[in-house]
Amino acid sequence: MKNVIIRINDISDIDTSKISVYDLNNRYVDTHGTMFGLKYNKGARKIEVIKIVRTHEKNAASFQHKIIQKKRDTGDLPAPGEDLQFPAEEGTAEDTGAEYNPEAFVESAIEMAKTHRDRLKGIMMNIRNSNVITKDNKTESNQLEDIFRNIDIDGMQGIENLMNYQKELINYPRSLTYYQAKMDDRGRAIIDTLASGNRKVMRFIYLVEMLDNITRLYRNIDRMLKALKDFFEEKNLDDAKWISSHERQSFRDGMVSITTTITEIENLLDDLKVLEEYTYNMEHYS
C-alpha cells in the first residue's frame, strides 16, 4: 500500500467520519511539518488520528525499545497486534512511517462490509422500486429475483456470517486441530513452526481465516453485482416508457451504487493481497 501525503493547516482538517479502509495509509502534514497518521481503535470502534514518529532510521530501534520499556513499567503495554503510539522526537530528520497493521485492516474491512450490507439492501430496493422489470415479464422477473436471492443469501447473510465468525475467532476459538485441518500445506508448515508459541499460532490463524473468508465473500459479491449490472446493461431505459421520472431516478441510483461497490470491491481485493503477503511472512511472528 502506498502512502498518500496530504497537506493540511492543522489536525482539525482531518475529518475521520469521511475516512474509509482505503485511507488508513494516508499521511497528513500540517503547516509546522508535523506528520499524522490514522489508526482503527478496536475498543472504541472508530478511526483515530495519531502523531507519527519522526526519527532517523539508525535511532528507530533504540527509540522503540525505550518506549516499550516505559509502557511495560507503567503497565500500559498494548496487547499483541496493537500499534504502539510514539510521541514526536525533537531534532530528528527522517520519517520512518507507520508499520502496516493487519488487525486494523481487518477491522476496517469488517466496517466496510457493514456498509456494503446496507448498500446491497438499498440497491435491491431501488431496482425493485424502479419497475424497470415488471411482474408481467415472467422470464426476466424470475431471472432478477434469482440474482436478488443470491445477493441476499451469499451477500448480505454472508456478511453477517463473516462478522459472527470474527467474533468466534476472537472470543471462543475452536481447537488448533480444527483450523490446522483447514489449512493448505503452506499454512500447516507455519503452524508447525510457531507451535511453541500459542499466541503466535492463534494470531496466524486469525489472520489466515479472516483473509480467506473476506476474500471468498467479496469474490462472490463481486460476481453477483457484475451479473446484475450485465443484466441491466442489455436494457435500453428509453424503451421503458411506462416508468415515471421518480422510478427512472431510482433505477439510476441503484446502478450508480452497483458501479461504486464493484470499484470498492476491486480495490479491497487488491488490498487483501497485501494482507496475504504479511500473513504468510514468518518474520511477522518472531
Side-chain angles (χ1 to χ4, degrees), residues 163-180:
M163 292 188 294
N164 290 334
Y165 190 48
Q166 186 202 27
K167 292 176 183 177
E168 174 186 312
L169 286 167
I170 293 173
N171 298 320
Y172 39 93
R174 304 190 191 191
S175 66
L176 174 60
T177 54
Y178 170 81
Y179 299 109
Q180 196 167 15

Side-chain angles (χ1 to χ4, degrees), residues 29-258:
V29 180
D30 67 15
T31 53
H32 300 290
T34 305
M35 180 171 284
F36 302 93
L38 304 168
K39 177 190 175 183
Y40 186 80
N41 185 319
K42 289 183 283 187
R45 302 189 70 81
K46 65 179 182 179
I47 292 174
E48 296 178 341
V49 179
I50 59 173
K51 186 182 293 184
I52 293 178
V53 182
R54 301 177 67 80
T55 183
H56 195 280
E57 184 177 2
K58 68 181 181 181
N59 298 324
S62 174
F63 184 60
Q64 181 171 345
H65 175 76
K66 292 178 183 178
I67 296 295
I68 292 174
Q69 187 60 50
K70 180 178 180 181
K71 286 180 174 287
R72 183 178 289 115
D73 293 342
T74 60
D76 193 28
L77 193 65
E82 290 187 349
D83 279 346
L84 290 169
Q85 307 306 317
F86 301 130
E89 185 178 27
E90 297 295 334
T92 55
E94 296 180 14
D95 177 16
T96 62
E99 289 188 4
Y100 175 70
N101 185 328
E103 286 85 357
F105 173 79
V106 169
E107 288 290 344
S108 299
I110 293 293
E111 290 301 309
M112 173 181 280
K114 294 177 183 178
T115 299
H116 286 162
R117 175 191 57 191
D118 296 336
R119 191 182 296 166
L120 291 175
K121 183 178 180 180
I123 287 171
M124 293 191 292
M125 181 182 69
N126 278 329
I127 290 177
R128 281 196 174 106
N129 291 342
S130 73
N131 200 32
V132 170
I133 304 298
T134 64
K135 297 288 186 181
D136 295 335
N137 189 339
K138 296 295 184 183
T139 300
E140 293 189 342
S141 179
N142 288 338
Q143 289 175 345
L144 181 59
E145 287 304 318
D146 284 342
I147 295 174
F148 282 168
R149 190 177 303 109
N150 290 333
I151 291 176
D152 181 20
I153 296 173
D154 296 330
M156 296 168 63
Q157 292 182 37
I159 291 171
E160 291 287 345
N161 293 338
L162 174 67
M163 292 188 294
N164 290 334
Y165 190 48
Q166 186 202 27
K167 292 176 183 177
E168 174 186 312
L169 286 167
I170 293 173
N171 298 320
Y172 39 93
R174 304 190 191 191
S175 66
L176 174 60
T177 54
Y178 170 81
Y179 299 109
Q180 196 167 15
K182 298 173 63 178
M183 297 280 175
D184 57 16
D185 291 341
R186 179 175 58 160
R188 282 193 287 270
I190 291 178
I191 287 179
D192 289 341
T193 304
L194 298 175
S196 59
N198 187 56
R199 281 192 174 186
K200 296 177 182 179
V201 172
M202 293 312 298
R203 181 173 185 244
F204 172 71
I205 287 173
Y206 172 78
L207 293 178
V208 169
E209 288 296 312
M210 294 311 296
L211 168 66
D212 290 348
N213 281 272
I214 293 171
T215 302
R216 189 181 308 112
L217 169 69
Y218 271 103
R219 282 178 178 167
N220 283 336
I221 296 176
D222 183 58
R223 173 180 50 79
M224 292 180 292
L225 287 180
K226 286 178 177 176
L228 183 59
K229 186 178 180 182
D230 291 342
F231 178 80
F232 280 108
E233 282 185 341
E234 299 175 357
K235 315 296 177 193
N236 186 349
L237 198 60
D238 293 334
D239 292 338
K241 305 296 185 182
W242 61 87
I243 64 175
S244 66
S245 59
H246 176 74
E247 291 171 331
R248 194 177 301 270
Q249 186 59 51
S250 182
F251 176 77
R252 287 173 177 157
D253 290 344
M255 295 303 291
V256 168
S257 292
I258 291 172

